[in-house]
Amino acid sequence: MTSVQERELLRSTKALDGLRANSFAAIVMLLLEFGLGVGVNLYATLPTSDHGRALLPAFGNAVTGGPAILATHALLGTVLLITGVSAVVRASLLRRIALIEIASVSLLAIVDAWLSGARFVGTMANGASLAMAVATGVSLLCYALILLIAPRSPMRERTS
């Protein structure tokens, strides 16, 4: 094997390992986010001053003026946005269409959940709460699919 091939193999291995780690971290965060969301829905009292606010002001007030569980939920949702972008970038570096598409669907689901959450804070609409839960499920499924279909790291197969 030439040094160019070895470098390419190492790059591919790092990219696959990174995507797998990114996907697993996203699954853990999504499960935490789901639990926090249930807690907010059942136990948190949202300030009535938030009703009727637009998306960004509702998010800002949730983080700065809401109950701690709501602030944690909103901030973790924002971290999930970054995690979703990272997964799309990592999948793109691998140049594998199926992984790119699945990571993109997951990112869109996270964006939908984030927007639905900001809408929920501003309107307290049950539909917004349901949209968050469904989008979380879609995103969880996508990251699990990535873990299932991403090929084993080529470098690891050589050493096994």
Side-chain angles (χ1 to χ4, degrees):
M1 183 177 290
T2 68
S3 63
V4 172
Q5 289 171 322
E6 286 177 355
R7 277 189 298 232
E8 181 60 29
L9 186 61
L10 182 61
R11 183 200 66 76
S12 180
T13 297
K14 285 183 177 182
L16 279 167
D17 289 347
L19 180 60
R20 285 180 174 284
N22 196 145
S23 296
F24 183 75
I27 288 170
V28 170
M29 286 188 283
L30 284 161
L31 290 171
L32 289 170
E33 186 74 341
F34 186 79
L36 287 169
V38 169
V40 167
N41 209 354
L42 294 175
Y43 301 111
T45 303
L46 303 181
T48 55
S49 61
D50 287 348
H51 295 268
R53 286 192 175 209
L55 290 177
L56 290 178
F59 170 78
N61 200 49
V63 171
T64 60
I69 192 170
L70 176 61
T72 304
H73 181 65
L75 290 172
L76 184 57
T78 303
V79 171
L80 277 162
L81 286 171
I82 297 164
T83 303
V85 169
S86 176
V88 171
V89 169
R90 289 175 188 274
S92 297
L93 290 173
L94 286 165
R95 297 181 190 106
R96 296 183 184 262
I97 299 300
L99 295 175
I100 296 166
E101 289 172 344
I102 295 168
S104 297
V105 168
S106 185
L107 175 59
L108 289 174
I110 292 169
V111 168
D112 182 51
W114 194 94
L115 292 172
S116 296
R119 189 170 64 243
F120 178 76
V121 169
T123 65
M124 299 293 291
N126 288 337
S129 181
L130 177 62
M132 277 188 288
V134 170
T136 299
V138 168
S139 189
L140 279 166
L141 176 62
C142 288
Y143 287 121
L145 276 172
I146 288 173
L147 290 177
L148 181 68
I149 70 168
R152 275 194 66 165
S153 300
M155 198 78 128
R156 298 203 191 286
E157 287 178 0
R158 285 183 65 213
T159 59
S160 303

